[in-house]
Amino acid sequence: MKKMIAVLVCLTLFVTSCIVFAACSKQETKKGKRAGSEINEGWRKADSPEITKTVEALFEKAMKGMDGVTFTPVAYIAFQTVSGTNHLVLCKTAPVVPDANATYALVTLYESLNGEAEIVDIKASKANATHEEEITGDFVPVDSPIVTEEAKKALEKAYEGLTGVEYFPVALIAKQMGTGTNYLILCERTVVVPDAEGEYVMVSVGNQAGSSAEILEIYEFRAKE
């Protein structure tokens, strides 16, 4: 009888330990999501926003036979493992017509298990991507989309007085030189409430030398109708 009671006690302790462990694992997973390593629906953030030769090659495949519009990858954002892989990429996009203005768009590129590629989703913005380098004072593209410390500090300074929302810099897209340095940054914007999920926006940050910074413009991405 004593042996039976001892066995039951051990089993009870084992089951309780399993429940506690599962609960802790759930909490850790949730914390990991809040920390920014995972975003909506199983998407994982990229280690680097730089465009690789592999991503360029996938876009070349996807655009074969596509007429009327061009997509130029600018920053690699996230990936999602499905039956194949979805890639979320910030692109310059423009209609193929003379003097067309380019804008920025979030493009989901599907890569199948056999290496085929197709564009499956586009979210457009009104953020201007036609940067004329020869025009003094205009925004010009940066050499690398990796966010610099200077750009990060300017963004932090710009939203310092804001409450209820946070902006996390994902990729540096362009900058503008003047009395200070202004930045165009792809950000993840999150409302400060429990379990809030972020959304991507383009943020234009005005940064005066030795002075304050401010958010000049915010461009949202919306599905094309």
Side-chain angles (χ1 to χ4, degrees):
M1 185 68 175
K2 287 183 179 178
K3 285 185 180 179
M4 180 70 72
I5 292 171
V7 170
L8 288 172
V9 169
C10 289
L11 285 172
T12 302
L13 289 172
F14 175 74
V15 171
T16 304
S17 298
C18 290
I19 292 170
V20 171
F21 178 77
C24 289
S25 297
K26 264 188 183 178
Q27 286 180 355
E28 287 304 315
T29 302
K30 197 171 186 181
K31 283 180 183 176
K33 183 175 180 181
R34 296 278 297 162
S37 61
E38 185 176 334
I39 51 179
N40 304 350
E41 300 174 358
W43 284 92
R44 301 288 298 182
K45 292 181 182 177
D47 293 330
S48 169
E50 292 189 298
I51 298 296
T52 63
K53 294 292 183 184
T54 301
V55 173
E56 288 180 349
L58 287 172
F59 266 94
E60 287 179 9
K61 284 184 182 180
M63 288 189 291
K64 280 183 180 176
M66 184 181 291
D67 298 320
V69 66
T70 61
F71 294 96
T72 305
V74 174
Y76 188 70
I77 303 166
F79 63 93
Q80 180 190 43
T81 302
V82 287
S83 179
T85 307
N86 286 327
H87 303 275
L88 185 61
V89 185
L90 179 72
C91 293
K92 289 181 182 180
T93 179
V96 185
V97 294
D99 301 320
N101 285 329
T103 54
Y104 289 104
L106 286 178
V107 177
T108 302
L109 180 71
Y110 171 67
E111 177 188 5
S112 69
L113 293 173
N114 63 1
E116 296 302 313
E118 66 173 313
I119 292 171
V120 294
D121 187 60
I122 302 168
K123 289 184 172 61
S125 78
K126 294 182 179 179
N128 181 30
T130 307
H131 305 302
E132 301 294 342
E133 295 190 36
E134 66 272 13
I135 299 177
T136 304
D138 191 25
F139 271 98
V140 295
V142 293
D143 295 328
S144 168
I146 295 175
V147 182
T148 63
E149 283 301 315
E150 292 79 9
K152 192 181 296 183
K153 287 176 182 176
L155 178 65
E156 289 173 354
K157 195 189 300 182
Y159 75 78
E160 205 168 41
L162 299 179
T163 56
V165 65
E166 292 179 344
Y167 291 88
F168 177 79
V170 176
L172 178 60
I173 308 305
K175 62 183 181 179
Q176 180 185 46
M177 305 300 292
T179 54
T181 305
N182 298 339
Y183 300 97
L184 186 61
I185 307 171
L186 176 70
C187 296
E188 184 182 358
R189 180 175 64 185
T190 307
V191 177
V192 185
V193 295
D195 300 321
E197 294 179 342
E199 63 174 343
Y200 292 107
V201 292
M202 293 287 283
V203 180
S204 176
V205 178
N207 184 41
Q208 296 299 314
S211 184
S212 62
E214 62 177 325
I215 293 177
L216 302 175
E217 194 81 49
I218 297 174
Y219 302 96
E220 298 182 344
F221 294 94
R222 293 288 178 261
K224 299 186 80 171
E225 297 179 355

